[in-house]
Amino acid sequence: MTSIPSNAIITVAGTVGVGKTTMTKKLAQALQFKTSFEKVDNNPYLDKFYADFERWSFHLQIYFLAERFKEQKAMVEDGGGYVQDRSIYEDTGIFAKMHADKGTMTKVDYETYTSLFEAMVLNPYFPTPDVLIYIDGDLDAIINRIQSRGREMEKQTSTTYWEEMHGRYQDWISSFTACPVLKLNIQDYDLINDETCIQDIVKKVEQYF
């Protein structure tokens, strides 16, 4: 038995390659929750984005914003009981901001994007997660995972891009206040080979309810 309510929504956040998908699956299985994954394979902009950041960054972020908003709404309407892979907050706090800062998203596009985000998400009617699990890890291990898991568009992206994203994630989570945060270092857990690890994580999550 667990003290985590059956209608809870738990979101897993962290940089690309840190292990969000594995954490989402294992935690959902342990809690008998449903899963919500970001739709990467059917994304019409992702390949184009990795080929040309400046041309497609705005389109990609608008697509993600719409899809994550719909998914957040659907989880609540379904009665909760979900573990979610990646939060809507990372899109604006990490990805859109990074491209605006680097000049691969125009100032006008960024202002349009943030205005839409604020209207959709930063209001009392938007259903925030009950807790956000932030996963961190060693940068070299994360890059090795990206190189080994087989997504060509990611493997062809420069190491400096992943280094910058890792740093931005650490800055973002330090000031995140939308919901309670549980910080975990993925190197402290072997979710693939040690079944007891996920029970330790469940106990940590229980402290937020």
Side-chain angles (χ1 to χ4, degrees), residues 45 48-49 52-66 91 95-96 99-100 103-117:
Y45 296 110
K48 296 175 181 178
F49 163 75
D52 188 342
F53 290 164
E54 188 170 355
R55 172 69 178 85
W56 296 105
S57 61
F58 177 72
H59 301 75
L60 181 69
Q61 292 308 315
I62 290 295
Y63 177 86
F64 274 136
L65 180 61
D91 287 314
F95 297 96
H99 288 289
T104 49
M105 182 185 292
T106 68
K107 181 179 179 181
V108 172
D109 282 349
Y110 182 62
E111 289 175 352
T112 299
Y113 171 81
T114 53
S115 177
L116 185 59
F117 174 86

Side-chain angles (χ1 to χ4, degrees), residues 87-150:
S87 73
I88 197 169
Y89 306 101
E90 290 158 87
D91 287 314
T92 184
I94 304 292
F95 297 96
K97 188 176 188 304
M98 180 168 70
H99 288 289
D101 290 346
K102 293 173 71 67
T104 49
M105 182 185 292
T106 68
K107 181 179 179 181
V108 172
D109 282 349
Y110 182 62
E111 289 175 352
T112 299
Y113 171 81
T114 53
S115 177
L116 185 59
F117 174 86
E118 289 168 3
M120 294 170 66
V121 178
L122 301 185
N123 69 73
Y125 304 105
F126 182 78
T128 59
D130 293 289
V131 60
L132 183 140
I133 300 175
Y134 176 73
I135 309 176
D136 201 359
D138 178 73
L139 178 59
D140 289 337
I142 290 169
I143 292 174
N144 287 338
R145 188 192 299 257
I146 291 170
Q147 292 298 322
S148 66
R149 72 182 185 181

Side-chain angles (χ1 to χ4, degrees), residues 8 32 42 52 55 74 88 132 187-188 192-193 206 209:
Q32 297 184 319
N42 297 320
D52 188 342
R55 172 69 178 85
I88 197 169
L132 183 140
Q187 288 159 270
D188 294 336
I192 302 298
N193 301 306
E206 285 180 325
F209 293 90

Side-chain angles (χ1 to χ4, degrees), residues 72-87:
Q72 199 80 10
K73 182 172 177 286
M75 288 190 295
V76 173
E77 291 175 345
D78 194 34
Y82 276 88
V83 182
Q84 179 185 33
D85 181 350
R86 182 166 281 163
S87 73

